[in-house]
Amino acid sequence: MALKKTFSADGKKCTVVFTVKKEAAQGAKSISIAGDFNSWSSTETPLKKAKDGSFSVELELATGKEYQFRYLLDGSRWDNDWEADKYIPAPFSSTDNSVVVCIAPKKGAPAKKAAADKPKKTTTKKAK
């Protein structure tokens, strides 16, 4: 399973490709996704099966939000995304929901800690 996110130039939309790899599909004939973005409908958003046996769907979501979701395999078995951004306990069961975080990275923000956060090297000069 995998999530691939891209953000619009204005940062208002997040396009997410939800993918269930062949191994994770475990021979499923159909897979749909239910979540905050489709009122938890188990039929509204089916994934399309690819020749390699994986399933995927592309959704356009608003940025600045987190969306809970789960996959429904063959209309009877619920599964989480193994590579979700995080997991949140489901309010109506003893399982977790997968979460995709659609928060655009800030432009110009460093990917790593700033150099000022790193310890400085000290040098000692020999007396002449």
Side-chain angles (χ1 to χ4, degrees), residues 5 9-12 15 21 23 32 34 36 44 57 60 66 70-72 75 78 87-88 91 97-98 102 120 126:
K5 297 181 272 188
D10 63 5
K12 293 181 180 178
T15 301
K21 296 176 185 171
E23 304 79 39
S32 60
D36 294 330
E44 185 179 312
V57 66
E60 188 175 279
E66 295 183 357
R70 293 193 84 197
Y71 298 111
L72 181 60
W78 290 97
Y87 302 91
I88 294 178
N97 288 334
S98 300
C102 291
K120 294 181 181 179
K126 292 183 180 179

PDB file of all heavy atoms in Angstrom, residues 5 9-12 15 21 23 32 34 36 44 57 60 66 70-72 75 78 87-88 91 97-98 102 120 126:
ATOM      1  N   LYS A   5       1.399  11.918  -2.667  1.00  0.00           N
ATOM      2  CA  LYS A   5       0.744  13.219  -2.588  1.00  0.00           C
ATOM      3  C   LYS A   5       1.459  14.244  -3.453  1.00  0.00           C
ATOM      4  O   LYS A   5       2.686  14.294  -3.462  1.00  0.00           O
ATOM      5  CB  LYS A   5       0.732  13.722  -1.138  1.00  0.00           C
ATOM      6  CG  LYS A   5      -0.051  12.854  -0.209  1.00  0.00           C
ATOM      7  CD  LYS A   5      -0.043  13.405   1.197  1.00  0.00           C
ATOM      8  CE  LYS A   5       1.148  12.874   1.946  1.00  0.00           C
ATOM      9  NZ  LYS A   5       1.147  13.204   3.369  1.00  0.00           N
ATOM     10  N   ALA A   9      -0.096  24.318  -7.251  1.00  0.00           N
ATOM     11  CA  ALA A   9       0.829  25.455  -7.163  1.00  0.00           C
ATOM     12  C   ALA A   9       0.378  26.470  -6.121  1.00  0.00           C
ATOM     13  O   ALA A   9       1.204  27.081  -5.441  1.00  0.00           O
ATOM     14  CB  ALA A   9       0.970  26.119  -8.529  1.00  0.00           C
ATOM     15  N   ASP A  10      -0.938  26.653  -5.981  1.00  0.00           N
ATOM     16  CA  ASP A  10      -1.438  27.616  -4.997  1.00  0.00           C
ATOM     17  C   ASP A  10      -1.548  27.006  -3.597  1.00  0.00           C
ATOM     18  O   ASP A  10      -1.881  27.693  -2.639  1.00  0.00           O
ATOM     19  CB  ASP A  10      -2.784  28.200  -5.434  1.00  0.00           C
ATOM     20  CG  ASP A  10      -3.890  27.162  -5.527  1.00  0.00           C
ATOM     21  OD1 ASP A  10      -3.679  25.989  -5.174  1.00  0.00           O
ATOM     22  OD2 ASP A  10      -5.003  27.539  -5.986  1.00  0.00           O
ATOM     23  N   GLY A  11      -1.274  25.708  -3.482  1.00  0.00           N
ATOM     24  CA  GLY A  11      -1.272  25.052  -2.179  1.00  0.00           C
ATOM     25  C   GLY A  11      -2.649  24.746  -1.617  1.00  0.00           C
ATOM     26  O   GLY A  11      -2.775  24.350  -0.465  1.00  0.00           O
ATOM     27  N   LYS A  12      -3.704  24.896  -2.427  1.00  0.00           N
ATOM     28  CA  LYS A  12      -5.061  24.691  -1.919  1.00  0.00           C
ATOM     29  C   LYS A  12      -5.584  23.275  -2.120  1.00  0.00           C
ATOM     30  O   LYS A  12      -6.529  22.858  -1.464  1.00  0.00           O
ATOM     31  CB  LYS A  12      -6.025  25.690  -2.561  1.00  0.00           C
ATOM     32  CG  LYS A  12      -5.751  27.122  -2.153  1.00  0.00           C
ATOM     33  CD  LYS A  12      -6.734  28.068  -2.776  1.00  0.00           C
ATOM     34  CE  LYS A  12      -6.424  29.498  -2.349  1.00  0.00           C
ATOM     35  NZ  LYS A  12      -7.326  30.463  -2.981  1.00  0.00           N
ATOM     36  N   THR A  15      -3.543  16.323  -4.299  1.00  0.00           N
ATOM     37  CA  THR A  15      -3.945  15.150  -5.063  1.00  0.00           C
ATOM     38  C   THR A  15      -3.242  13.945  -4.449  1.00  0.00           C
ATOM     39  O   THR A  15      -2.019  13.932  -4.333  1.00  0.00           O
ATOM     40  CB  THR A  15      -3.569  15.300  -6.543  1.00  0.00           C
ATOM     41  OG1 THR A  15      -4.220  16.467  -7.060  1.00  0.00           O
ATOM     42  CG2 THR A  15      -4.011  14.089  -7.348  1.00  0.00           C
ATOM     43  N   LYS A  21      -1.041  -2.449  -3.130  1.00  0.00           N
ATOM     44  CA  LYS A  21      -0.188  -3.311  -3.936  1.00  0.00           C
ATOM     45  C   LYS A  21      -0.755  -4.727  -3.990  1.00  0.00           C
ATOM     46  O   LYS A  21      -1.539  -5.134  -3.131  1.00  0.00           O
ATOM     47  CB  LYS A  21       1.230  -3.309  -3.371  1.00  0.00           C
ATOM     48  CG  LYS A  21       1.880  -1.935  -3.451  1.00  0.00           C
ATOM     49  CD  LYS A  21       3.235  -1.913  -2.797  1.00  0.00           C
ATOM     50  CE  LYS A  21       3.778  -0.497  -2.795  1.00  0.00           C
ATOM     51  NZ  LYS A  21       4.992  -0.374  -2.002  1.00  0.00           N
ATOM     52  N   GLU A  23       0.422  -7.636  -3.285  1.00  0.00           N
ATOM     53  CA  GLU A  23       0.639  -8.441  -2.091  1.00  0.00           C
ATOM     54  C   GLU A  23      -0.379  -8.103  -1.008  1.00  0.00           C
ATOM     55  O   GLU A  23      -0.877  -8.977  -0.308  1.00  0.00           O
ATOM     56  CB  GLU A  23       2.056  -8.233  -1.531  1.00  0.00           C
ATOM     57  CG  GLU A  23       3.178  -8.510  -2.505  1.00  0.00           C
ATOM     58  CD  GLU A  23       3.425  -7.372  -3.507  1.00  0.00           C
ATOM     59  OE1 GLU A  23       3.355  -6.179  -3.141  1.00  0.00           O
ATOM     60  OE2 GLU A  23       3.662  -7.699  -4.679  1.00  0.00           O
ATOM     61  N   SER A  32     -12.521  -0.902  -2.387  1.00  0.00           N
ATOM     62  CA  SER A  32     -13.001   0.476  -2.357  1.00  0.00           C
ATOM     63  C   SER A  32     -12.372   1.158  -1.147  1.00  0.00           C
ATOM     64  O   SER A  32     -11.803   0.502  -0.272  1.00  0.00           O
ATOM     65  CB  SER A  32     -14.535   0.525  -2.289  1.00  0.00           C
ATOM     66  OG  SER A  32     -14.996  -0.127  -1.133  1.00  0.00           O
ATOM     67  N   ALA A  34     -13.109   4.044   1.912  1.00  0.00           N
ATOM     68  CA  ALA A  34     -14.107   4.810   2.641  1.00  0.00           C
ATOM     69  C   ALA A  34     -13.360   5.706   3.621  1.00  0.00           C
ATOM     70  O   ALA A  34     -12.372   5.294   4.221  1.00  0.00           O
ATOM     71  CB  ALA A  34     -15.049   3.876   3.394  1.00  0.00           C
ATOM     72  N   ASP A  36     -13.250  10.074   5.537  1.00  0.00           N
ATOM     73  CA  ASP A  36     -13.835  11.393   5.796  1.00  0.00           C
ATOM     74  C   ASP A  36     -14.216  12.109   4.510  1.00  0.00           C
ATOM     75  O   ASP A  36     -15.165  12.886   4.473  1.00  0.00           O
ATOM     76  CB  ASP A  36     -12.841  12.276   6.562  1.00  0.00           C
ATOM     77  CG  ASP A  36     -12.555  11.766   7.965  1.00  0.00           C
ATOM     78  OD1 ASP A  36     -13.436  11.130   8.570  1.00  0.00           O
ATOM     79  OD2 ASP A  36     -11.437  12.015   8.448  1.00  0.00           O
ATOM     80  N   GLU A  44     -18.880   4.303  -2.829  1.00  0.00           N
ATOM     81  CA  GLU A  44     -18.732   5.509  -3.662  1.00  0.00           C
ATOM     82  C   GLU A  44     -17.393   5.622  -4.374  1.00  0.00           C
ATOM     83  O   GLU A  44     -17.299   6.188  -5.461  1.00  0.00           O
ATOM     84  CB  GLU A  44     -18.960   6.757  -2.805  1.00  0.00           C
ATOM     85  CG  GLU A  44     -18.945   8.047  -3.584  1.00  0.00           C
ATOM     86  CD  GLU A  44     -19.211   9.244  -2.685  1.00  0.00           C
ATOM     87  OE1 GLU A  44     -20.157   9.204  -1.896  1.00  0.00           O
ATOM     88  OE2 GLU A  44     -18.442  10.212  -2.782  1.00  0.00           O
ATOM     89  N   VAL A  57      -6.614   4.592  -6.796  1.00  0.00           N
ATOM     90  CA  VAL A  57      -7.567   5.650  -7.106  1.00  0.00           C
ATOM     91  C   VAL A  57      -6.890   6.982  -6.765  1.00  0.00           C
ATOM     92  O   VAL A  57      -6.082   7.058  -5.835  1.00  0.00           O
ATOM     93  CB  VAL A  57      -8.895   5.497  -6.321  1.00  0.00           C
ATOM     94  CG1 VAL A  57      -8.690   5.673  -4.824  1.00  0.00           C
ATOM     95  CG2 VAL A  57      -9.959   6.448  -6.853  1.00  0.00           C
ATOM     96  N   GLU A  60      -8.729  14.232  -5.223  1.00  0.00           N
ATOM     97  CA  GLU A  60      -8.298  15.602  -4.969  1.00  0.00           C
ATOM     98  C   GLU A  60      -8.930  16.051  -3.663  1.00  0.00           C
ATOM     99  O   GLU A  60     -10.155  16.076  -3.532  1.00  0.00           O
ATOM    100  CB  GLU A  60      -8.733  16.524  -6.117  1.00  0.00           C
ATOM    101  CG  GLU A  60      -8.143  17.912  -6.001  1.00  0.00           C
ATOM    102  CD  GLU A  60      -8.471  18.769  -7.205  1.00  0.00           C
ATOM    103  OE1 GLU A  60      -7.780  18.622  -8.230  1.00  0.00           O
ATOM    104  OE2 GLU A  60      -9.416  19.573  -7.107  1.00  0.00           O
ATOM    105  N   GLU A  66      -6.461  16.629   7.788  1.00  0.00           N
ATOM    106  CA  GLU A  66      -6.106  15.221   7.873  1.00  0.00           C
ATOM    107  C   GLU A  66      -7.374  14.436   7.596  1.00  0.00           C
ATOM    108  O   GLU A  66      -8.455  14.818   8.040  1.00  0.00           O
ATOM    109  CB  GLU A  66      -5.586  14.882   9.275  1.00  0.00           C
ATOM    110  CG  GLU A  66      -4.304  15.580   9.623  1.00  0.00           C
ATOM    111  CD  GLU A  66      -3.763  15.174  10.983  1.00  0.00           C
ATOM    112  OE1 GLU A  66      -4.410  14.379  11.704  1.00  0.00           O
ATOM    113  OE2 GLU A  66      -2.673  15.651  11.335  1.00  0.00           O
ATOM    114  N   ARG A  70     -10.128   3.892   5.391  1.00  0.00           N
ATOM    115  CA  ARG A  70      -9.803   2.462   5.401  1.00  0.00           C
ATOM    116  C   ARG A  70     -10.180   1.893   4.042  1.00  0.00           C
ATOM    117  O   ARG A  70     -11.005   2.457   3.327  1.00  0.00           O
ATOM    118  CB  ARG A  70     -10.569   1.712   6.488  1.00  0.00           C
ATOM    119  CG  ARG A  70     -10.120   2.153   7.889  1.00  0.00           C
ATOM    120  CD  ARG A  70     -10.606   1.250   8.967  1.00  0.00           C
ATOM    121  NE  ARG A  70      -9.673   0.130   9.076  1.00  0.00           N
ATOM    122  CZ  ARG A  70      -9.948  -0.999   9.675  1.00  0.00           C
ATOM    123  NH1 ARG A  70     -11.118  -1.201  10.219  1.00  0.00           N
ATOM    124  NH2 ARG A  70      -9.054  -1.964   9.730  1.00  0.00           N
ATOM    125  N   TYR A  71      -9.578   0.765   3.699  1.00  0.00           N
ATOM    126  CA  TYR A  71      -9.908   0.058   2.462  1.00  0.00           C
ATOM    127  C   TYR A  71     -10.885  -1.072   2.789  1.00  0.00           C
ATOM    128  O   TYR A  71     -10.777  -1.717   3.834  1.00  0.00           O
ATOM    129  CB  TYR A  71      -8.650  -0.553   1.834  1.00  0.00           C
ATOM    130  CG  TYR A  71      -7.616   0.464   1.425  1.00  0.00           C
ATOM    131  CD1 TYR A  71      -6.409   0.559   2.102  1.00  0.00           C
ATOM    132  CD2 TYR A  71      -7.833   1.313   0.350  1.00  0.00           C
ATOM    133  CE1 TYR A  71      -5.440   1.477   1.724  1.00  0.00           C
ATOM    134  CE2 TYR A  71      -6.875   2.241  -0.044  1.00  0.00           C
ATOM    135  CZ  TYR A  71      -5.683   2.320   0.655  1.00  0.00           C
ATOM    136  OH  TYR A  71      -4.731   3.228   0.278  1.00  0.00           O
ATOM    137  N   LEU A  72     -11.816  -1.340   1.864  1.00  0.00           N
ATOM    138  CA  LEU A  72     -12.737  -2.458   1.989  1.00  0.00           C
ATOM    139  C   LEU A  72     -12.463  -3.413   0.833  1.00  0.00           C
ATOM    140  O   LEU A  72     -12.648  -3.072  -0.331  1.00  0.00           O
ATOM    141  CB  LEU A  72     -14.191  -1.980   1.957  1.00  0.00           C
ATOM    142  CG  LEU A  72     -15.255  -3.067   2.104  1.00  0.00           C
ATOM    143  CD1 LEU A  72     -15.102  -3.813   3.428  1.00  0.00           C
ATOM    144  CD2 LEU A  72     -16.650  -2.456   1.980  1.00  0.00           C
ATOM    145  N   GLY A  75     -15.796  -6.255  -0.367  1.00  0.00           N
ATOM    146  CA  GLY A  75     -17.032  -5.925   0.341  1.00  0.00           C
ATOM    147  C   GLY A  75     -17.174  -6.521   1.721  1.00  0.00           C
ATOM    148  O   GLY A  75     -18.240  -6.407   2.333  1.00  0.00           O
ATOM    149  N   TRP A  78     -12.057  -5.197   6.051  1.00  0.00           N
ATOM    150  CA  TRP A  78     -11.484  -3.861   6.186  1.00  0.00           C
ATOM    151  C   TRP A  78      -9.988  -3.967   6.425  1.00  0.00           C
ATOM    152  O   TRP A  78      -9.525  -4.857   7.140  1.00  0.00           O
ATOM    153  CB  TRP A  78     -12.132  -3.107   7.338  1.00  0.00           C
ATOM    154  CG  TRP A  78     -13.543  -2.739   7.057  1.00  0.00           C
ATOM    155  CD1 TRP A  78     -14.660  -3.409   7.450  1.00  0.00           C
ATOM    156  CD2 TRP A  78     -14.001  -1.612   6.309  1.00  0.00           C
ATOM    157  NE1 TRP A  78     -15.780  -2.772   6.993  1.00  0.00           N
ATOM    158  CE2 TRP A  78     -15.403  -1.662   6.287  1.00  0.00           C
ATOM    159  CE3 TRP A  78     -13.365  -0.562   5.639  1.00  0.00           C
ATOM    160  CZ2 TRP A  78     -16.178  -0.706   5.640  1.00  0.00           C
ATOM    161  CZ3 TRP A  78     -14.133   0.396   4.993  1.00  0.00           C
ATOM    162  CH2 TRP A  78     -15.525   0.320   4.997  1.00  0.00           C
ATOM    163  N   TYR A  87      -1.961   6.748  12.331  1.00  0.00           N
ATOM    164  CA  TYR A  87      -3.161   5.975  12.636  1.00  0.00           C
ATOM    165  C   TYR A  87      -3.856   6.612  13.831  1.00  0.00           C
ATOM    166  O   TYR A  87      -3.196   7.127  14.728  1.00  0.00           O
ATOM    167  CB  TYR A  87      -2.808   4.514  12.950  1.00  0.00           C
ATOM    168  CG  TYR A  87      -2.070   3.861  11.806  1.00  0.00           C
ATOM    169  CD1 TYR A  87      -0.680   3.884  11.750  1.00  0.00           C
ATOM    170  CD2 TYR A  87      -2.766   3.277  10.760  1.00  0.00           C
ATOM    171  CE1 TYR A  87      -0.005   3.322  10.685  1.00  0.00           C
ATOM    172  CE2 TYR A  87      -2.093   2.709   9.697  1.00  0.00           C
ATOM    173  CZ  TYR A  87      -0.721   2.728   9.652  1.00  0.00           C
ATOM    174  OH  TYR A  87      -0.055   2.189   8.587  1.00  0.00           O
ATOM    175  N   ILE A  88      -5.186   6.551  13.818  1.00  0.00           N
ATOM    176  CA  ILE A  88      -5.999   7.106  14.900  1.00  0.00           C
ATOM    177  C   ILE A  88      -7.007   6.037  15.304  1.00  0.00           C
ATOM    178  O   ILE A  88      -7.619   5.409  14.434  1.00  0.00           O
ATOM    179  CB  ILE A  88      -6.725   8.386  14.438  1.00  0.00           C
ATOM    180  CG1 ILE A  88      -5.722   9.497  14.147  1.00  0.00           C
ATOM    181  CG2 ILE A  88      -7.732   8.848  15.484  1.00  0.00           C
ATOM    182  CD1 ILE A  88      -6.346  10.785  13.645  1.00  0.00           C
ATOM    183  N   PRO A  91     -13.546   5.528  16.222  1.00  0.00           N
ATOM    184  CA  PRO A  91     -14.486   5.833  17.304  1.00  0.00           C
ATOM    185  C   PRO A  91     -15.531   4.738  17.566  1.00  0.00           C
ATOM    186  O   PRO A  91     -16.087   4.680  18.643  1.00  0.00           O
ATOM    187  CB  PRO A  91     -15.161   7.120  16.826  1.00  0.00           C
ATOM    188  CG  PRO A  91     -14.986   7.135  15.349  1.00  0.00           C
ATOM    189  CD  PRO A  91     -13.716   6.400  15.076  1.00  0.00           C
ATOM    190  N   ASN A  97      -7.903   3.689  12.379  1.00  0.00           N
ATOM    191  CA  ASN A  97      -8.113   4.156  11.018  1.00  0.00           C
ATOM    192  C   ASN A  97      -6.786   4.687  10.493  1.00  0.00           C
ATOM    193  O   ASN A  97      -5.989   5.255  11.238  1.00  0.00           O
ATOM    194  CB  ASN A  97      -9.146   5.284  10.966  1.00  0.00           C
ATOM    195  CG  ASN A  97     -10.550   4.804  11.220  1.00  0.00           C
ATOM    196  OD1 ASN A  97     -10.879   3.649  10.982  1.00  0.00           O
ATOM    197  ND2 ASN A  97     -11.402   5.693  11.709  1.00  0.00           N
ATOM    198  N   SER A  98      -6.558   4.530   9.194  1.00  0.00           N
ATOM    199  CA  SER A  98      -5.406   5.142   8.538  1.00  0.00           C
ATOM    200  C   SER A  98      -5.674   6.631   8.402  1.00  0.00           C
ATOM    201  O   SER A  98      -6.830   7.061   8.319  1.00  0.00           O
ATOM    202  CB  SER A  98      -5.216   4.554   7.143  1.00  0.00           C
ATOM    203  OG  SER A  98      -4.990   3.177   7.207  1.00  0.00           O
ATOM    204  N   CYS A 102      -2.791  16.066   4.662  1.00  0.00           N
ATOM    205  CA  CYS A 102      -2.697  16.916   3.462  1.00  0.00           C
ATOM    206  C   CYS A 102      -2.318  18.335   3.856  1.00  0.00           C
ATOM    207  O   CYS A 102      -3.116  19.267   3.718  1.00  0.00           O
ATOM    208  CB  CYS A 102      -4.011  16.890   2.687  1.00  0.00           C
ATOM    209  SG  CYS A 102      -4.347  15.309   1.917  1.00  0.00           S
ATOM    210  N   LYS A 120      28.969  23.135  17.015  1.00  0.00           N
ATOM    211  CA  LYS A 120      30.056  23.779  16.285  1.00  0.00           C
ATOM    212  C   LYS A 120      31.372  23.092  16.607  1.00  0.00           C
ATOM    213  O   LYS A 120      31.599  22.662  17.729  1.00  0.00           O
ATOM    214  CB  LYS A 120      30.136  25.266  16.657  1.00  0.00           C
ATOM    215  CG  LYS A 120      28.918  26.028  16.199  1.00  0.00           C
ATOM    216  CD  LYS A 120      29.042  27.487  16.554  1.00  0.00           C
ATOM    217  CE  LYS A 120      27.804  28.227  16.096  1.00  0.00           C
ATOM    218  NZ  LYS A 120      27.844  29.629  16.423  1.00  0.00           N
ATOM    219  N   LYS A 126      47.829  26.461  18.507  1.00  0.00           N
ATOM    220  CA  LYS A 126      49.042  26.241  19.303  1.00  0.00           C
ATOM    221  C   LYS A 126      49.740  27.578  19.535  1.00  0.00           C
ATOM    222  O   LYS A 126      49.817  28.409  18.652  1.00  0.00           O
ATOM    223  CB  LYS A 126      49.999  25.301  18.556  1.00  0.00           C
ATOM    224  CG  LYS A 126      49.464  23.895  18.453  1.00  0.00           C
ATOM    225  CD  LYS A 126      50.475  23.017  17.778  1.00  0.00           C
ATOM    226  CE  LYS A 126      49.970  21.609  17.664  1.00  0.00           C
ATOM    227  NZ  LYS A 126      50.900  20.726  16.991  1.00  0.00           N
TER     228      LYS A 126
END
